[in-house]
Amino acid sequence: MPTSPAELLTPDTLPTPVMAGRDFLSNLDMSSAELRSVLDTAASMKRGEWRQVKPLSGLSLALVFEKASLRTRTTFDVGMYQLGGHAITLSNQEIGLGQRERVSDVARNLERWVDGVMGRVYLQQTLHELADHSSIPVINGLSDMLHPVQLLADYQTIEEELGSAAGKRVVYIGDGNNLANSHIHMGILTGSDVTIVTPVGYEPNAGVLMDAVKQGTQITLTHDLSAIDGADVLYTDVWISMGQEAEADIRRRAFRGYQVTPQMLDRLAPHGIFLHCLPAHYGEETVPEATEHPKSRVFDQAENRLHAQKALLYHLLGSAKPRW
């Protein structure tokens, strides 16, 4: 239903930004309470309650890309526009992170022109270098280690479909990659029951698993596909990420049997949903009949990248003032 004028926020009724001026390189860079604020803001934005406010007016965000992008590029750019700000896209051809120019020098330049940086990069260390050498927020738009902005949209989708994520069985199947790692972090923050199903030798990062141990969070690791039975959420990602093309044949053989099909979705709980961060490599980790299945929320999940990232941007930049 359309939002009534009485429900529209004004500059005087905006929530207080809870992560003002901080970096967001991992989901663990926020507390459970801060995650709750971000997800509540995302839901409010999706309902249209922010249409009359432009809280990031006069602010700019640099979008730094080493990797190709559809959802990350579009949603951060549109998100800044809808909040009254501006985004500038910088490809690696233009910057040459660590090659044409030192990462630290890029950071020292950008902090003098823009109010935040989003990086979609190969190495997590690149993001840490950007953050260590600049005074403005740096956001992880994807790295080899983590994909935290994606998980914000994922858990917004889970809450829309299932209510609270606490106690829900979230089963990730496939490569123990950056998505699997970030699912573990979200299990720590939300109390969801996270299971990671991988072939032998493709388990998640040991350091990320240790994060869960330190927090006393139980994460289930298994190679047994029966773990999907009765799951509330089934999640997969590509088997061959950008930069792993040389391993393609080896990986296809290793992951044989891990493809998400409509028959696999029938094994979920009756209310269970299927999620995929996209792009999908159809014929490998899934098939079109799965992403178009009645239990699929893949495209709702993609839409929520916009709302969740707008909420994150507000909570990181909402206290900043234009410097010109």
Side-chain angles (χ1 to χ4, degrees):
M1 294 179 61
T3 304
S4 71
E7 295 171 318
L8 294 177
L9 294 176
T10 70
D12 294 329
T13 60
L14 293 177
T16 301
V18 297
M19 301 172 64
R22 285 160 44 189
D23 299 315
F24 184 69
L25 307 185
S26 157
N27 292 110
L28 294 188
D29 284 337
M30 56 172 51
S31 66
S32 294
E34 289 164 346
L35 172 61
R36 180 73 269 144
S37 294
V38 170
L39 291 179
D40 286 346
T41 298
S44 173
M45 288 176 167
K46 189 171 184 177
R47 290 192 298 267
E49 295 168 2
W50 291 64
R51 286 201 308 272
Q52 291 190 157
V53 292
K54 301 292 182 185
L56 303 189
S57 179
L59 303 184
S60 296
L61 179 72
L63 308 178
V64 176
F65 290 96
E66 287 189 307
K67 290 189 171 186
S69 172
L70 170 64
R71 281 153 294 278
T72 301
R73 161 74 172 84
T74 304
T75 52
F76 271 107
D77 195 330
V78 173
M80 281 297 289
Y81 169 76
Q82 290 181 354
L83 293 174
H86 170 74
I88 178 170
T89 298
L90 301 168
S91 72
N92 207 40
Q93 276 188 314
E94 294 162 311
I95 296 181
L97 279 171
Q99 297 177 0
R100 179 177 178 271
E101 196 160 358
R102 293 191 310 175
V103 174
S104 58
D105 285 359
V106 171
R108 291 185 180 107
N109 277 268
L110 289 176
E111 72 171 354
R112 293 170 184 248
W113 303 323
V114 300
D115 304 286
V117 176
M118 187 289 302
R120 181 176 168 91
V121 300
Y122 282 98
L123 301 178
Q124 180 78 7
Q125 180 58 32
T126 300
L127 296 166
H128 285 285
E129 286 188 56
L130 285 170
D132 288 345
H133 292 92
S134 67
S135 58
I136 56 177
V138 174
I139 299 168
N140 182 353
L142 177 141
S143 73
D144 62 332
M145 182 67 68
L146 299 167
H147 198 356
V149 293
Q150 176 67 54
L151 269 291
L152 297 179
D154 297 342
Y155 271 72
Q156 181 180 356
T157 309
I158 291 169
E159 289 192 352
E160 288 173 351
E161 295 295 325
L162 306 177
S164 171
K168 299 297 190 299
R169 284 194 61 226
V170 178
V171 177
Y172 174 94
I173 178 174
D175 187 22
N177 61 11
N178 49 8
L179 263 297
N181 293 334
S182 289
H183 270 286
I184 292 168
H185 282 171
M186 287 297 277
I188 295 170
L189 290 175
T190 68
S192 57
D193 179 2
V194 174
T195 296
I196 308 292
V197 187
T198 67
V200 175
Y202 291 91
E203 295 82 2
N205 178 269
V208 172
L209 290 168
M210 187 55 64
D211 291 336
V213 172
K214 290 176 181 176
Q215 296 290 332
T217 300
Q218 179 66 44
I219 303 295
T220 301
L221 300 183
T222 184
H223 313 301
D224 187 349
L225 291 168
S226 68
I228 70 173
D229 293 339
D232 299 299
V233 179
L234 180 63
Y235 199 114
T236 195
D237 186 24
V238 297
W239 297 341
I240 305 156
S241 297
M242 284 178 279
Q244 296 176 332
E245 289 80 7
E247 306 171 36
D249 290 340
I250 296 171
R251 284 176 166 267
R252 289 189 187 105
R253 288 193 294 271
F255 288 96
R256 192 171 296 140
Y258 284 76
Q259 184 183 84
V260 176
T261 63
Q263 292 74 28
M264 193 177 282
L265 299 186
D266 291 339
R267 296 163 59 182
L268 304 182
H271 57 263
I273 61 173
F274 170 50
L275 299 178
H276 188 312
C277 62
L278 299 178
H281 292 176
Y282 292 120
E284 294 182 0
E285 79 282 355
T286 193
V287 293
E289 293 81 6
T291 58
E292 295 162 10
H293 191 277
K295 288 189 174 182
S296 172
R297 298 296 181 272
V298 167
F299 299 105
D300 297 326
Q301 172 190 8
E303 177 189 341
N304 284 341
R305 289 289 301 274
L306 175 62
H307 308 300
Q309 288 164 188
K310 282 169 60 180
L312 177 68
L313 288 168
Y314 172 74
H315 283 286
L316 292 176
L317 302 177
S319 293
K321 304 299 181 187
R323 293 181 287 175
W324 52 278

